[in-house]
């Protein structure tokens, strides 16, 4: 720290809340300046306020195919100062999504919250998880009319239609019919 005196030249000792080291943490500090000179004498006090630095905490967007496990959810930080990284945080934020392995195609929130630090003011930005490729099968049913007047048997006919974007193996299809 730099101290200016009038006249210039006397040595000045600074203390911050009574300590000699310059504070790096956010907070309020009482600064005491004492002139250390054989010719001049004096002292002054003032307050030093170090504000928390803003830190953006961003949930990265992700995607995955239908019926697969969710990918690892990750956080990106923007705003660390003095070469610091997430290892200095008092407690790290948590990240989660509402999507499960059974979630259908769609966009699901990835929420980031919590965490704390004495030197950073957190600002959160949520992300999204996109689930895609869910097969969409439907069975179209119709009853065939009897060909002969005395034929009263029900003759159901089914047609399986894939309305999704992914192919489905025929061996993976199970159809149950009750009448």
């Amino acid at each position: 720290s730099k101290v200016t005196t009038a006249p210039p030249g006397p040595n000045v000792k600074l203390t911050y809340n009574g300590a000699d080291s310059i504070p790096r943490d956010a907070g309020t500090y009482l600064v005491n300046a004492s002139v250390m000179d054989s010719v001049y004498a004096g002292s002054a006090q003032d307050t030093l306020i170090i504000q928390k630095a803003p830190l953006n905490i961003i949930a990265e967007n992700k995607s995955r195919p239908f019926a697969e496990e969710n990918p690892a959810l990750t956080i990106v930080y923007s705003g660390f100062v003095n070469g610091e990284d997430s290892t200095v945080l008092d407690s790290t934020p948590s990240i989660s999504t509402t999507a499960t392995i059974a979630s259908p195609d769609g966009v699901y929130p990835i929420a980031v919250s919590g965490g704390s630090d004495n030197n950073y003011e957190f600002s959160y930005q949520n992300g999204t998880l996109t689930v895609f490729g869910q097969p969409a099968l439907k069975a179209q049913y119709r009853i065939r009319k009897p060909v002969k007047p005395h034929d009263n048997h029900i003759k159901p006919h089914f047609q399986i239609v894939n309305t999704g974007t992914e192919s489905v193996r025929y061996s993976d299809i199970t159809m149950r019919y009750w009448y």
Side-chain angles (χ1 to χ4, degrees), residues 141 154 156 158 174-179:
Y141 172 80
I154 297 175
F158 295 96
T174 302
M175 183 174 235
R176 293 188 182 116
Y177 177 74
W178 292 270
Y179 62 96

Side-chain angles (χ1 to χ4, degrees), residues 2 21 32 34-35 44 51 57 67 73 76 78 101 104 112 125 131 138 144 149 167 178:
K2 182 178 179 182
S21 60
N32 189 20
S34 301
V35 175
Q51 299 290 337
I57 301 169
L73 303 178
V76 173
S78 172
I101 195 167
V112 62
Q125 180 181 331
V131 176
K138 66 178 182 178
R144 199 170 121 204
S167 62
W178 292 270

Side-chain angles (χ1 to χ4, degrees), residues 143-155 179:
I143 297 178
R144 199 170 121 204
K145 293 184 180 179
V147 177
K148 301 176 188 168
H150 63 282
D151 185 2
N152 61 359
H153 293 98
I154 297 175
K155 297 179 181 172
Y179 62 96

Side-chain angles (χ1 to χ4, degrees), residues 7 10 35-42:
V35 175
M36 309 295 287
D37 192 88
S38 60
V39 178
Y40 301 101

Side-chain angles (χ1 to χ4, degrees), residues 55 75 77 80 83-93 117 120:
L55 182 65
I75 296 173
Y77 299 92
F80 281 113
E84 295 180 330
D85 60 25
S86 63
T87 60
V88 303
L89 298 178
D90 295 336
S91 66
T92 55
D117 192 74
Y120 292 98

Side-chain angles (χ1 to χ4, degrees), residues 10-178:
N11 290 326
V12 177
K13 179 179 181 179
L14 296 175
T15 59
Y16 306 86
N17 286 353
D20 292 334
S21 60
I22 299 171
R24 293 179 57 100
D25 291 336
T28 302
Y29 300 88
L30 177 63
V31 180
N32 189 20
S34 301
V35 175
M36 309 295 287
D37 192 88
S38 60
V39 178
Y40 301 101
S43 66
Q45 287 187 339
D46 204 347
T47 302
L48 170 66
I49 299 172
I50 300 175
Q51 299 290 337
K52 288 185 173 189
L55 182 65
N56 296 315
I57 301 169
I58 304 160
E60 286 191 300
N61 294 332
K62 301 288 182 172
S63 64
R64 69 159 172 86
F66 172 74
E68 289 191 13
E69 292 289 336
N70 288 336
L73 303 178
T74 53
I75 296 173
V76 173
Y77 299 92
S78 172
F80 281 113
V81 297
N82 299 324
E84 295 180 330
D85 60 25
S86 63
T87 60
V88 303
L89 298 178
D90 295 336
S91 66
T92 55
S94 61
I95 188 168
S96 63
T97 184
T98 56
T100 67
I101 195 167
S103 295
D105 284 2
V107 178
Y108 298 86
I110 298 175
V112 62
S113 63
S116 66
D117 192 74
N118 60 330
N119 290 318
Y120 292 98
E121 187 69 40
F122 291 175
S123 173
Y124 303 99
Q125 180 181 331
N126 292 333
T128 58
L129 172 65
T130 303
V131 176
F132 61 89
Q134 177 182 6
L137 299 179
K138 66 178 182 178
Q140 295 176 334
Y141 172 80
R142 68 181 178 99
I143 297 178
R144 199 170 121 204
K145 293 184 180 179
V147 177
K148 301 176 188 168
H150 63 282
D151 185 2
N152 61 359
H153 293 98
I154 297 175
K155 297 179 181 172
H157 291 265
F158 295 96
Q159 178 180 6
I160 299 171
V161 178
N162 183 353
T163 60
T165 58
E166 299 291 319
S167 62
V168 178
R169 292 189 323 230
Y170 185 70
S171 61
D172 289 341
I173 298 172
T174 302
M175 183 174 235
R176 293 188 182 116
Y177 177 74
W178 292 270

